Amino acid sequence: MDTALIGLGVSLADVLSRNTVDYVGDKIRLAKEKKDLQSRSVAYEEIINQLLEDKNNSILLATKYKEAYEQVTISDEDIEYLQKTLRGAIKILFAFSPQTDEVKLSIDTLIELLNKDTLKTMQLLGFNYREAIGQPLTEVCSQAIKEKLKVVPNIPKNKKR
């Protein structure tokens, strides 16, 4: 499991433990036991401020969980868009490669992975498309461009001082 998600889980457990009925009830009971009105008022303000802070922390945690979820989830609309556009893009990218039977088989296999049912099933099993497909496609595209343009790595020249 991702360490960031573990940290979010620990933070969520902390916020939830401070917002139980017993915990808040004990704080209110202690505030009521204060003798003067000023200290009671301060205690109530502290309780309210802590609850508001916890609410804001809960919203922040929910946002972070949502972002983490969206990093590994592809919506139905995105899947349909991928099916329509990536098939052509894959064929264009592989046009830079030598046209061997192995390359054609690779193209066909990759295109089969873009089937909506396959994408949804693999996603439900926890497959991360951005890492598994997006990153390799980026690398293939980058490599193809470098090969076609014959890009030479930039070697810093020694400067005279």
Side-chain angles (χ1 to χ4, degrees), residues 101-132:
D101 289 338
E102 185 177 318
V103 170
K104 289 178 184 177
L105 180 62
S106 295
I107 292 171
D108 292 340
T109 302
L110 189 54
I111 288 174
E112 281 301 314
L113 284 175
L114 299 176
N115 175 304
K116 184 175 181 177
D117 293 332
T118 304
L119 290 173
K120 281 305 249 186
T121 301
M122 291 177 69
Q123 181 175 292
L124 289 171
L125 295 173
F127 190 79
N128 186 332
Y129 288 103
R130 286 174 177 86
E131 286 181 21

Side-chain angles (χ1 to χ4, degrees), residues 81-151:
Y81 180 78
L82 284 171
Q83 285 177 315
K84 291 177 183 175
T85 58
L86 279 182
R87 287 184 176 155
I90 290 168
K91 289 180 181 179
I92 291 169
L93 287 175
F94 278 105
F96 290 111
S97 302
Q99 296 302 311
T100 64
D101 289 338
E102 185 177 318
V103 170
K104 289 178 184 177
L105 180 62
S106 295
I107 292 171
D108 292 340
T109 302
L110 189 54
I111 288 174
E112 281 301 314
L113 284 175
L114 299 176
N115 175 304
K116 184 175 181 177
D117 293 332
T118 304
L119 290 173
K120 281 305 249 186
T121 301
M122 291 177 69
Q123 181 175 292
L124 289 171
L125 295 173
F127 190 79
N128 186 332
Y129 288 103
R130 286 174 177 86
E131 286 181 21
I133 297 173
Q135 187 175 358
L137 278 177
T138 302
E139 291 168 8
V140 166
C141 184
S142 174
Q143 185 178 2
I145 292 170
K146 288 176 184 176
E147 287 175 6
K148 289 297 178 184
L149 298 176
K150 296 186 183 355
V151 174

Side-chain angles (χ1 to χ4, degrees), residues 19-32:
N19 287 296
T20 63
V21 173
D22 291 336
Y23 182 83
V24 175
D26 288 344
K27 289 283 190 182
I28 291 173
R29 186 181 46 77
L30 290 173
K32 284 181 182 178

